[in-house]
Amino acid sequence: METMKKVIVDMDGVMADVYHQLVEFEKRDTGREIEISDLAGKPEIESFPNGKKHVNEIGFFRTLPLMKGSREAIEYLNNKYELYIVSAGMEFPNSLREKYDWLAEHFPFITWEQIVLCGSKKVVSGDIMIDDYPKNLDHFSGQRLIFTQPHNELIENETYERVHSWEEIMGIL
Amino acid sequence: METMKKVIVDMDGVMADVYHQLVEFEKRDTGREIEISDLAGKPEIESFPNGKKHVNEIGFFRTLPLMKGSREAIEYLNNKYELYIVSAGMEFPNSLREKYDWLAEHFPFITWEQIVLCGSKKVVSGDIMIDDYPKNLDHFSGQRLIFTQPHNELIENETYERVHSWEEIMGIL
């Protein structure tokens, strides 16, 4: 039997729609409506001046909306590959349990063995990585898929394969 | 400049003295005094009939005593290598924050970037791994140090280098 390839999938900005949540929290606090189409190429910290406060708020990660199509696609990948969910949650210690509970709610077929909450992703290895951040992809020795999010939209790097949606990923993997 | 080697260190049974805590909790609950010297070669689950209940107790991981010599040795390794603390805490979701807080108390020089809480360690890579469990060492492609604990005492495997103390590790690394 052929060994299944290891696929490493990021949570924030890939499985979970962080931009949508940050827009909603900004509107709730200040009434300001941020247009996502205005944010292309800007770092997240510039796009959301209150973002740092919001991501540290209890419940921010627990209530993140799903990225469109992620549930079906993750189930598809989980049946076809050795799948690992790898999230850099260590910067926000409140997020650790919230991320665990969020996965249990939306992806109940993912087992605890498949979850990694880390700081740096430099010690994570596998065959395929799907991530929205170059800092994570750049240390990875396998196939690199960059999931389009406003902050990375203008980045051109031929070592990444750019994907715009979960539907597109299912067509490739 | 030479790249620093990545050293992957386990928490339970390596940095933290789990056996000591399980003996204490058993004594507290039943009055029974378990002798650690009687446990050589036995799986942890057989050595501690109430162990499963105890590790799920709030505070179990937060109050683990330090393994003798671990503080000095981890500080030494942290200055000499690119050090990562990798713990399979995902089986016990209560342990996630407790492990983070335990590290912050006893090893304040370890940053969030250096911490990995996972399920399986199959996607963890590096140059040197220090762990007490063969299931973790066996997937690791670098140098493997098995830290002696009663459950692994009788295992002979020439792909591991056996170490009995943190003092011994400092002599090797």
Side-chain angles (χ1 to χ4, degrees), chain A residues 6 8 82 84 86 88 90-91 93-94 96-97 100-101 111-126, chain B residues 6 8 82 84 86 88 90-91 93-94 96-97 100-101 111-126:
Chain A
K6 291 192 180 79
I8 310 294
E82 191 175 326
Y84 293 92
V86 180
M90 213 54 64
E91 190 175 359
N94 286 329
L96 300 174
R97 183 58 192 254
Y100 179 93
D101 290 338
T111 67
W112 63 263
E113 286 95 337
Q114 295 173 274
I115 306 171
V116 180
L117 300 176
C118 61
S120 161
K121 294 188 186 178
K122 282 188 201 171
V123 288
V124 173
S125 66
Chain B
K6 291 190 180 80
I8 311 295
E82 189 175 326
Y84 293 91
V86 180
M90 212 55 66
E91 190 175 358
N94 287 329
L96 301 173
R97 182 59 191 257
Y100 179 93
D101 290 338
T111 68
W112 61 264
E113 286 95 337
Q114 294 172 275
I115 305 170
V116 181
L117 300 177
C118 60
S120 161
K121 295 188 185 178
K122 283 188 201 172
V123 289
V124 173
S125 66

Side-chain angles (χ1 to χ4, degrees), chain A residues 39-66:
Chain A
L39 306 179
K42 278 192 198 172
E44 280 182 272
I45 196 141
E46 280 180 32
S47 296
F48 300 101
N50 297 305
K52 204 177 168 190
K53 189 183 76 182
H54 289 147
V55 296
N56 279 294
E57 199 175 295
I58 300 287
F60 180 86
F61 292 97
R62 182 64 187 88
T63 61
L64 282 173
L66 283 173

